[in-house]
Amino acid sequence: MHPILALVLRRLALGALSLWAVSLLIFAGTEILPGDVAEAMLGQSATPEAVAAIRRELGLDRPAWERYLDWLVGLLQGDLGTSYANRMPVAELVGERLANTLFLAGVAAAVAVPLAVGLGIAAVRWRESVLDRLLSAMTLSAISMPEFFIGYALIYLFAVTWPLAPPIATVYPGMDLAARLKVVVLPVAALALVTVAHMMRMTRAAILNVMESPYIETAELKGLARSRIVLRHALPNALSPIINVIVINLAYLVVGVVVVEVVFVYPGLGQLMVDAVAKRDVPLVQACGMIFAATYILLNLTADVLAILTNPRLLHPR
Amino acid sequence: MTLLLEIRDLHVQALGEEGEWQEIVHGVSLELRPSEVLGLIGESGAGKSTLGLAALGYARRGVRLVRGSIRLHGEELLGAPYERLRQIRGHRVTYVAQSAAAAFNPAYRIEDQCIEAAVEHGILSEAEARAEARRLFARLRLPDPERFGQRYPHQVSGGQLQRAMTVMAMVPRPDLVVFDEPTTALDVTTQIEVLAAIKTAIESERLAAIYITHDLALVVQIAHRILVLKDGREVEAGPTATILEHPREAYTRALIQVRRRFRPERPRPEGAPLLEVRGVEAAYGALRVLADVNLALWRGRTVAVVGESGSGKTTLARVITGLLPPRRGEVRLDGRSLALSYRQRHRDELRRIQLVYQMPDVALNPRQTVEEIIGRPLTFYFGLRGAERRRRVEQLLESVELPPGFADRYPRELSGGQKQRVAIARALAAEPEVMICDEVTSALDVQVAEAVLRLLLDLQERTGIAYLYITHDLATVKAIADEIVVMLQGRVVESGPKSEVLRPPHHPYTATLLASVPEMEMGWLDRILTERGLPDAGSPSPASAAASGT
């Protein structure tokens, strides 16, 4: 296991390096953001004196590199800074929203990942059957439709026409799990539809690719059952690409769900970030950006490590 | 007598490039009795593998068994339900593939794969199957049989994996094993070890087998009867001795003749050699691949460089042509030292040494016509253009026995042998004095290879060109060389005129190499094994089988 440990440590170091590069990009990005928090806060009453006073108060008159260093040092100490807009600690603002986002992503992933992999395997097992064709057609349509359309279509069908689920996913602190699950049914369905389609098609393609290998012919000539050939002989060799596509979709579930959050008025991190950009609340925007970037990097790191762990050549060197 | 397998008038079709079904096996019949070994021999495209797989009622994707009959123990397999075929495959009939390296699943340990079929079919319990696999590992002379199977396929050598695949086919105790070119991908010396192991296993377990190969000398060692195939049709069939001693068909005779040619050695001419390699040491990065290599080639003669893969033969060719500048030593042409890198050589020096590659498929630019391919050196070295160049291209095509009309074709419109002829014509276009031929016939079928060799000899007679002929095939060496250089791990272990190198006493490695070339005679393998002190493969005894089973 020693070389693998070294590999993981190297990837972790690279991940930290990427995160630092991202922090530079985010800071630079918020610097060139047009508009000014002071003007945004003051609105009509933005006299030059008042603007200057607020800028001084927020420390915006200091040079950019100084503010960047302050922010970075704060980050390293776990201090995300203070919101410009309402002077609350950013950590407090982000905390609950992040929990909401992770909850939605987690429920969606718990539904979508097993479903996608299972359907992908089934499509290979019964390849070119009615099931395979049906799945292919359905997933292709799901991929082709934009998420907001899927969201509104779900609301129209299952909240308006047949009122089976609430159209708005309102959650609040202290809500019990059952109630939470009930209100997120439609957003989870929307997210699952989009991600299952992608993951299922990639799973099917990855396994089919392996099914062309000579060792699959060996398995067929052993007279093994078709399910065993797919599950025992093809799937383990297709894990690496499948893990990769799952991870991309998990990252999407955390980072890319803002449209679905807006459609279902779900209080997630994405919405918070969009609001913060509108208010030029730079510390909040930066914090959200860093969380999203860290999610991506961590998930990709996991994918790399899992890909290594599923490769017998790396796991059992000569 | 009861028949184990009976194939009658089998027709097989394959999907063509334009999606139409074409017949590739045109009504072949064969039969096999218990404990009998049938050799299926033919060139690529003869339908050998297709026929071998048909014995399991199996057809690859894009292939279908159309009509005829395949009976195993009298039961019809053609058109049998999938579930029934599944019960037969891996149980009554098993299969050993050409490339075990590709046929083993990289994700599982070797033993687990060897016992899978027996356990899944309920023939043996897992514990019994493991014991049986280990017994067979020992029988096939695999190292440390108790633990060998705990390794993953990538952790063992190609020869070991091929033997492990034979174990995989034998654990379920089948009635019939189909061996599909099981030694073709191996080096010569490994090849006979594996062949001997397979022979021992077949005889001691009293298996029936279909042994598929393109090498008649190999199949003669192991088969009771032989079926010669060509283009999906039977050429002739009969007992091995009859086929070997009294072949009816010209095609069979040609297959047998291939290895029986021997060109008399010509005396070494007076004077200085044309090409000389002195004290060459070469490396790829830190990996040294050539050490103190010396070699001399006289005008109009052929030096054969022999050795296994990895012995440094091709690297030597790269050093001589200047593609890989050596770390030490020099290459001399006509008494003058050549620059180490081709970049510093004069155009005329480049012209005088030409190289022909092993794989004509990749050595010819698929987007150029034959005229452009052969015309390029004509323009580069002699400034020929237009009609003049075209005339010369046609002459060159004629000298490699291709019609002048081929000038307008693209490589994909040519067969393997024709492509190699074009590659030779391209080298000839430069009017070289030395031609380096790097395994030029090993990618070709026996008869095509034979014709290419004959062409090379003719050209030498006519033009006085000198060949440096790189190969691992000693039969070819015997046929065309004047002198032989034997290489092992980057060093020359023996060299000299053919008669001296081929006559004892040999360097031990040369002896192994020589002994590994299958002779076209029955009993050769048994004799070699006895000479080497290995247990005689030809004397199976129930007692020895029982003894190793304990």
Side-chain angles (χ1 to χ4, degrees), chain A residues 10-91:
Chain A
R10 200 158 59 232
R11 290 289 155 94
L12 268 175
L14 274 174
L17 196 70
S18 326
L19 206 55
W20 170 72
V22 167
S23 79
L24 272 177
L25 282 176
I26 288 176
F27 191 84
T30 50
E31 276 298 297
I32 58 171
L33 206 60
D36 182 284
V37 63
E39 281 169 21
M41 282 165 74
L42 289 167
Q44 293 289 343
S45 55
T47 63
E49 294 76 24
V51 168
I54 289 186
R55 288 182 62 88
R56 208 165 28 251
E57 192 187 328
L58 295 177
L60 291 177
D61 51 346
R62 292 186 302 147
W65 65 268
E66 222 178 287
R67 281 180 286 128
Y68 172 70
L69 278 185
D70 270 2
W71 176 61
L72 195 64
V73 169
L75 274 186
L76 289 174
Q77 292 167 347
D79 176 13
L80 295 174
T82 311
S83 159
Y84 291 167
N86 52 16
R87 311 292 162 88
M88 277 171 65
V90 168

Side-chain angles (χ1 to χ4, degrees), chain B residues 374-546:
Chain B
I374 302 178
R376 167 88 184 121
L378 292 174
T379 310
F380 182 77
Y381 292 118
F382 307 111
L384 292 187
R385 281 173 212 286
E388 211 183 346
R389 187 175 92 160
R390 170 76 185 202
R391 256 198 313 281
R392 184 73 186 119
V393 167
E394 289 180 0
Q395 278 174 7
L396 284 164
L397 282 174
E398 206 174 310
S399 69
V400 294
E401 296 156 14
L402 290 177
F406 272 44
D408 299 317
R409 294 207 185 177
Y410 285 91
R412 66 168 177 276
E413 300 171 282
L414 307 177
S415 72
Q418 289 167 342
K419 280 183 219 168
Q420 198 58 288
R421 284 167 191 268
V422 169
I424 292 170
R426 174 174 64 183
L428 285 178
E431 297 175 21
E433 289 156 49
V434 177
M435 193 144 106
I436 302 177
C437 303
D438 188 358
E439 303 260 15
V440 289
T441 58
S442 34
L444 305 176
D445 273 324
V446 183
Q447 282 202 303
V448 181
E450 170 95 355
V452 169
L453 281 184
R454 208 163 42 230
L455 170 69
L456 288 174
L457 294 181
D458 278 359
L459 287 171
Q460 193 168 52
E461 299 280 310
R462 276 187 280 147
T463 64
I465 193 170
Y467 293 129
L468 187 74
Y469 195 93
I470 294 172
T471 182
H472 65 272
D473 178 12
L474 271 164
T476 311
V477 172
K478 286 181 184 173
I480 71 162
D482 297 304
E483 305 200 17
I484 300 179
V485 172
V486 183
M487 290 188 67
L488 174 65
Q489 291 164 7
R491 288 175 185 278
V492 173
V493 294
E494 192 168 4
S495 69
K498 174 163 67 179
S499 54
E500 275 177 31
V501 174
L502 294 183
R503 190 175 55 220
H506 300 295
H507 179 278
Y509 179 69
T510 314
T512 314
L513 213 52
L514 278 172
S516 303
V517 180
E519 301 274 341
M520 195 73 77
E521 66 179 60
M522 295 174 75
W524 165 83
L525 181 64
D526 299 333
R527 203 182 69 226
I528 288 297
L529 295 180
T530 319
E531 280 170 15
R532 284 194 190 179
L534 294 179
D536 187 356
S539 59
S541 74
S544 70

Side-chain angles (χ1 to χ4, degrees), chain A residues 128-283:
Chain A
E128 278 155 30
S129 66
V130 178
L131 173 85
D132 187 19
R133 280 162 220 264
L134 200 69
L135 281 173
S136 176
M138 277 166 52
T139 52
L140 197 63
S141 4
I143 286 177
S144 318
M145 282 188 286
E147 324 154 77
F148 71 84
F149 176 76
I150 293 181
Y152 286 126
L154 285 173
I155 291 177
Y156 177 73
L157 289 174
F158 300 109
V160 179
T161 313
W162 300 287
L164 299 170
I168 291 174
T170 320
V171 292
Y172 47 85
M175 202 172 175
D176 70 42
L177 184 66
R180 265 178 196 265
L181 285 174
K182 191 162 188 287
V183 295
V184 298
V185 164
L186 287 187
V188 162
L191 290 172
L193 263 179
V194 179
T195 52
V196 162
H198 185 212
M199 288 190 286
M200 179 263 159
R201 293 179 76 85
M202 294 300 287
T203 302
R204 177 182 183 275
I207 302 178
L208 276 185
N209 195 21
V210 172
M211 290 293 283
E212 298 296 317
S213 313
Y215 53 80
I216 297 300
E217 185 176 280
T218 306
E220 286 178 349
L221 293 175
K222 278 179 180 175
L224 303 179
R226 210 159 144 72
S227 317
R228 188 179 170 89
I229 294 176
V230 173
L231 288 175
R232 291 263 309 171
H233 285 270
L235 184 60
N237 292 291
L239 279 181
S240 182
I242 294 176
I243 289 169
N244 263 310
V245 72
I246 289 177
V247 162
I248 289 172
N249 280 280
L250 289 182
Y252 161 82
L253 284 177
V254 176
V255 173
V257 293
V258 60
V259 174
V260 174
E261 285 180 6
V262 170
V263 169
F264 292 97
V265 204
Y266 184 80
L269 201 56
Q271 254 198 4
L272 183 70
M273 186 173 178
V274 172
D275 290 348
V277 171
K279 287 188 207 147
R280 305 289 179 270
D281 193 346
V282 172

